[in-house]
Amino acid sequence: RENTYDIRAARHRKRARDMGCSGGMYTTGDHIKSRFEIWGNACWICKGEATAVDHVKPMSKGGSNLPANIRPICNSCNSSKKDTWPYFVDTHG
């Protein structure tokens, strides 16, 4: 599982570089791992098992690849959210 964070970090660094995003070129697997730990390895939207990395403000909308913009997300929520910005979670449902 440790290697998974490094692989995700490398993929997102390349994407950030290709998209010309500000910052985040040095985001590491340890940064992503710590973000997952902060959120209890749960999706930040539905609280289910996190299986992917989400950029809260999508890089396509000017978001960075910095750790502060990264949260764990499940595949279902990631597919629903896509590149929506801003994205609001209904906490009263």
Side-chain angles (χ1 to χ4, degrees):
R1 181 130 176 141
E2 296 297 319
N3 191 30
T4 300
Y5 297 114
D6 292 332
I7 292 168
R8 287 176 178 169
R11 184 174 54 239
H12 290 291
R13 281 193 307 268
K14 180 182 181 332
R15 188 165 163 243
R17 184 176 55 249
D18 291 349
M19 295 179 77
C21 294
S22 62
M25 295 310 301
Y26 304 104
T27 299
T28 66
D30 286 339
H31 290 127
I32 292 176
K33 180 181 177 193
S34 71
R35 299 303 290 173
F36 271 64
E37 288 171 350
I38 288 168
W39 288 89
N41 293 308
C43 173
W44 74 274
I45 296 173
C46 75
K47 309 303 184 239
E49 181 184 359
T51 52
V53 173
D54 181 45
H55 292 82
V56 179
K57 182 174 184 182
M59 289 192 286
S60 64
K61 305 288 186 187
S64 75
N65 191 41
L66 293 168
N69 192 40
I70 294 173
R71 292 186 187 170
I73 194 168
C74 70
N75 287 332
S76 177
C77 288
N78 201 22
S79 293
S80 297
K81 179 182 176 276
K82 298 180 185 171
D83 68 344
T84 304
W85 177 254
Y87 187 82
F88 299 100
V89 177
D90 181 9
T91 59
H92 303 291

